[in-house]
Amino acid sequence: GVQVNGIAKTPAMIITKNRDETQHWRVHHQELIANYVLYLAENYEQIAPNGSNNGYIKTVGSTTYSTYESNADSLAVNGSSDKMISYCFAEVDGYSQFGGYNGNGADDNDGAFVFTGFRPAFVMLKLVSAGGENWHMFDSTRSISNVVKARFIADDSTGENTSDSILDFTANGFKHRDDNAGYNSQGGDYIYMAFAEAPFKYANAR
């Protein structure tokens, strides 16, 4: 496989594109079950098996480098002699988190709460227990106060939507205020990436 250097720990999330082929962006996330990968483009947002390989990344020896193994999806993540690009994200305490949560199908004050340990400045999330839902993105630059309404979709050309009260950014996470299947369906399994404006020890109260 290809060894990706430059980060000090195993990536929690990797977004990869083969620049020489028509393969769509592939997404690895540490909360996905083994041998699964996501797509980040057009109608390919559904979860799909990644062949019979042993995983999208692995630890090498006593270090924590990311590698792509030889697998059925190798053209997309390790095309021979192709130009590849990967965005590798690792968790930084008080600054970034790449986790999962279960939706509860409730709205208003009873929606699912996701603990991050910091006030998010950016959140992107995705339903992974079923297909047909988009990657949803929220940030504190466009929504400077709660409730957060401004939403972009990463895998669609739809413009910004501000018609729904979706979630709150709290001091230690984010709380859902809507029961939409895209982010808080009853029993739905979701993954997310969240970043703070700065590491928690440097953060200012609002």
Side-chain angles (χ1 to χ4, degrees), residues 170-186:
T170 72
N172 58 357
F174 57 99
K175 182 175 178 60
H176 290 279
R177 300 287 297 274
D178 197 346
D179 59 359
N180 185 286
Y183 20 85
N184 188 33
S185 66
Q186 173 66 46

Side-chain angles (χ1 to χ4, degrees), residues 78-187:
N78 191 18
S80 178
S81 299
D82 288 341
K83 297 182 184 70
M84 311 294 298
I85 186 169
S86 287
Y87 298 95
C88 301
F89 302 94
E91 291 188 332
V92 176
D93 187 38
Y95 176 70
S96 60
Q97 190 176 92
F98 305 86
Y101 68 92
N102 298 116
N104 66 6
D107 55 14
D108 295 329
N109 296 322
D110 297 319
F113 173 72
V114 181
F115 177 81
T116 62
F118 54 81
R119 179 182 175 86
F122 173 83
V123 170
M124 182 167 73
L125 55 85
K126 174 78 174 73
L127 175 69
V128 296
S129 55
E133 295 295 338
N134 301 103
W135 294 85
H136 299 280
M137 299 184 295
F138 313 92
D139 65 79
S140 62
T141 300
R142 290 172 303 131
S143 296
I144 60 176
S145 61
N146 291 324
V147 174
V148 175
K149 293 184 177 182
R151 170 176 58 93
F152 275 126
I153 295 174
D155 53 320
D156 193 270
S157 60
T158 304
E160 180 185 68
N161 185 321
T162 59
S163 61
D164 300 318
S165 296
I166 300 174
L167 51 80
D168 286 342
F169 286 155
T170 72
N172 58 357
F174 57 99
K175 182 175 178 60
H176 290 279
R177 300 287 297 274
D178 197 346
D179 59 359
N180 185 286
Y183 20 85
N184 188 33
S185 66
Q186 173 66 46

